Amino acid sequence: MERKDIDSLLEKIEKLTAESIRDVEEIRVKFLGKKGEVTRLFEEFRTIEPELKKEFGKYLNELKTKAAEKIETLRENFAEFVEGSSLEDFTKPGDNFELGTRHPISLVREQILDIFGSFGYSVALGPEIEDDWHVFSALNFPPEHPARDMQDTFFINPDSSDPILLRTHTSSVQVRTMERQKPPIRVVCPGRVFRNEAISARAHCIFHQVEGLYIDKGVSFADLKQAILLFVQQMFGAQTEIRMRPSYFPFTEPSTEVDISCNICGGKGCNICKGTGWLEIMGAGMVDPNVLEASGIDSREYTGFAFGMGIERIAMLKWLVNDLRHYFENDVRFLKEFQSVI
Ligand code: PHE
C-alpha cells in the first residue's frame, strides 16, 4: 500500500454525487461496506511493516472519517422529515434565498405611469414593428424628412414601396389610439423604440419611451404646461421648476423642448447640467390639426397636447447614471444598486 493509493481513493470519494437515497446506500456499500474499497485498505494495513503502521494508520483513519462524512452529506440531501428523525435539525439557520431586483427602467416606467395614472391617463400599447403610416405619415412627416431615411430608421423591407419598420417613437401608439377612440382621449404609451444610432454612453439603438396624449374640447397650452409641471414635481421633487424652449416636431404646433431645473445643483450650475442649471427631459407641443384630421378627429372641435420622454434619460437624471449602456448589460453589480428602490 502506498500513500498515493489513499489519496486517490479520497479524491474519488470527495467527487461522488448521488441522485437518490439509493445511490447513497450503494456508495456506502462500495466504500465502507464489508468488501468496500476503504475496508480493503484496512485489511492491507495488517500486512505493512510495523514502522510504517503509525503513519498509515493515521491516514487510513482520516480517509474513513472523511468518507463517512461525505456519505452523510450526500444522505442529507435526501433527508425527509420523519417525526423524531435525527436528520432534521430545526436549530439550523433558515435558507437564505436572494430576492431579485427590478430593473431601473421598469422602476421609472412604473413611476411615470403611476403619476399620469393619478391624473386620469390610461395606458395604451402598440406594436414595435410598424408601417410608415403610423410612425410617419399620420404624424405629418413630410416625404423628405430625414427620419424616413435608412440612416435613422431600421427598415424591415427597405426596397418595398410599402415600408415596414421598427417604430422610432411610441407616437405611433397615439395614432392608433386616435383611430380607435373618440375624444376625450387621455393616454400614456410606454414602449421600446429603435433608431439607427451608433451605441455610446449617450446613445443606443434601442431605448424606451413614455409618450402621452390628451385630446378634448378646449385643451390649451396652459394645460400642457401644468400637466408637465405637476409630473416633474412628483418625479424629481416639489421644488423642481420647468422651462420651455421653442422647438420643432412635425406632429405638434407649437412645439417645445422641456427642461427641468437641475436637481443636482438646484439650478446653480454643475457638471451634470453643464453649468446651465437646466436639464432637458422631453419634447412636447399642441397636436398639429393635420394629425388630428389624419386620424379622423375634427380639428375645429377638438384640440390636444402631446409629449414624449426617454425613460433611460429620466432614470439617468434621477440616479446619476453616467452611461446608457449600463441599462442593457445586465451587470448584477449595477442592478443591485436598485435593490432598495421599491
Ligand atoms: N415623438 C417625439 C420623439 O420621439 C417626442 C414627442 C412626443 C415630441 C410628443 C412632442 C410631442 O422624439
Side-chain angles (χ1 to χ4, degrees), residues 74-172:
L74 290 176
R75 196 194 305 280
E76 263 167 23
N77 292 336
F78 306 102
E80 277 172 40
F81 174 67
V82 181
E83 207 162 356
S85 155
S86 58
L87 292 174
E88 195 74 6
D89 179 359
F90 292 108
T91 64
K92 273 190 192 162
D95 285 340
N96 177 21
F97 59 91
E98 244 185 285
L99 287 178
T101 65
R102 300 193 62 207
H103 195 281
I105 297 301
S106 308
L107 291 166
V108 170
R109 184 191 51 222
E110 293 309 310
Q111 201 181 346
I112 297 171
L113 297 184
D114 275 357
I115 295 172
F116 281 102
S118 75
F119 299 167
Y121 286 68
S122 52
V123 174
L125 301 174
E128 293 180 343
I129 298 175
E130 267 290 9
D131 51 25
D132 173 274
W133 172 257
H134 290 96
V135 177
F136 299 130
S137 295
L139 287 159
N140 202 33
F141 276 77
E144 70 287 351
H145 194 281
R148 290 171 175 261
D149 200 82
M150 274 179 67
Q151 298 270 297
D152 294 283
T153 301
F154 292 113
F155 286 90
I156 286 170
N157 54 352
D159 302 324
S160 167
S161 58
D162 198 4
I164 300 294
L165 45 102
L166 299 182
R167 66 182 178 194
T168 56
H169 51 186
T170 60
S171 302
S172 52

Side-chain angles (χ1 to χ4, degrees), residues 46-333:
R46 293 205 212 119
T47 64
I48 66 170
E49 272 117 77
E51 61 275 24
L52 291 177
K53 279 216 155 133
K54 190 168 171 213
E55 194 191 340
F56 272 88
K58 183 164 156 265
Y59 290 149
L60 275 179
N61 279 326
E62 262 172 35
L63 171 67
K64 195 173 172 183
T65 315
K66 286 196 175 140
E69 278 171 2
K70 170 75 189 183
I71 288 165
E72 200 43 46
T73 314
L74 290 176
R75 196 194 305 280
E76 263 167 23
N77 292 336
F78 306 102
E80 277 172 40
F81 174 67
V82 181
E83 207 162 356
S85 155
S86 58
L87 292 174
E88 195 74 6
D89 179 359
F90 292 108
T91 64
K92 273 190 192 162
D95 285 340
N96 177 21
F97 59 91
E98 244 185 285
L99 287 178
T101 65
R102 300 193 62 207
H103 195 281
I105 297 301
S106 308
L107 291 166
V108 170
R109 184 191 51 222
E110 293 309 310
Q111 201 181 346
I112 297 171
L113 297 184
D114 275 357
I115 295 172
F116 281 102
S118 75
F119 299 167
Y121 286 68
S122 52
V123 174
L125 301 174
E128 293 180 343
I129 298 175
E130 267 290 9
D131 51 25
D132 173 274
W133 172 257
H134 290 96
V135 177
F136 299 130
S137 295
L139 287 159
N140 202 33
F141 276 77
E144 70 287 351
H145 194 281
R148 290 171 175 261
D149 200 82
M150 274 179 67
Q151 298 270 297
D152 294 283
T153 301
F154 292 113
F155 286 90
I156 286 170
N157 54 352
D159 302 324
S160 167
S161 58
D162 198 4
I164 300 294
L165 45 102
L166 299 182
R167 66 182 178 194
T168 56
H169 51 186
T170 60
S171 302
S172 52
V173 186
Q174 305 181 2
V175 175
R176 287 183 179 277
T177 308
M178 289 189 281
E179 287 172 343
R180 225 183 14 235
Q181 196 183 321
K182 291 250 153 303
I185 293 173
R186 233 178 328 196
V187 286
V188 264
C189 313
R192 266 200 308 191
V193 299
F194 308 84
R195 292 184 194 175
N196 197 354
E197 303 218 24
I199 296 171
S200 72
R202 301 178 64 86
H204 208 289
C205 57
I206 303 176
F207 63 100
H208 299 78
Q209 280 189 325
V210 176
E211 294 213 357
L213 176 70
Y214 177 29
I215 300 174
D216 204 348
K217 289 182 180 149
V219 176
S220 71
F221 199 92
D223 297 321
L224 167 65
K225 207 170 154 186
Q226 192 60 24
I228 291 176
L229 180 63
L230 279 177
F231 163 69
V232 300
Q233 290 183 339
Q234 293 196 30
M235 194 74 199
F236 294 98
Q239 74 296 339
T240 313
E241 291 173 44
I242 58 171
R243 170 174 93 165
M244 289 175 147
R245 286 176 288 110
S247 185
Y248 173 77
F249 299 102
F251 34 90
T252 46
E253 184 59 38
S255 302
T256 173
E257 212 88 53
V258 183
D259 298 341
I260 56 167
S261 51
C262 179
N263 57 330
I264 311 309
C265 61
K268 286 195 218 59
C270 66
N271 64 342
I272 304 293
C273 60
K274 304 209 176 63
T276 64
W278 296 96
L279 300 163
E280 184 186 320
I281 61 151
M282 68 168 91
M286 299 306 291
V287 181
D288 191 301
N290 288 343
V291 173
L292 296 174
E293 297 292 338
S295 296
I297 293 173
D298 187 346
S299 63
R300 285 160 306 177
E301 200 178 347
Y302 293 103
T303 51
F305 64 71
F307 56 86
M309 66 193 110
I311 303 181
E312 281 80 356
R313 169 117 184 117
I314 304 281
M316 279 175 121
L317 298 177
K318 215 171 148 60
W319 290 307
L320 293 182
V321 176
N322 60 7
D323 192 322
L324 203 58
R325 289 167 291 199
H326 287 311
Y327 292 124
F328 299 93
E329 283 167 359
N330 284 332
D331 184 329
V332 282
R333 290 169 303 178

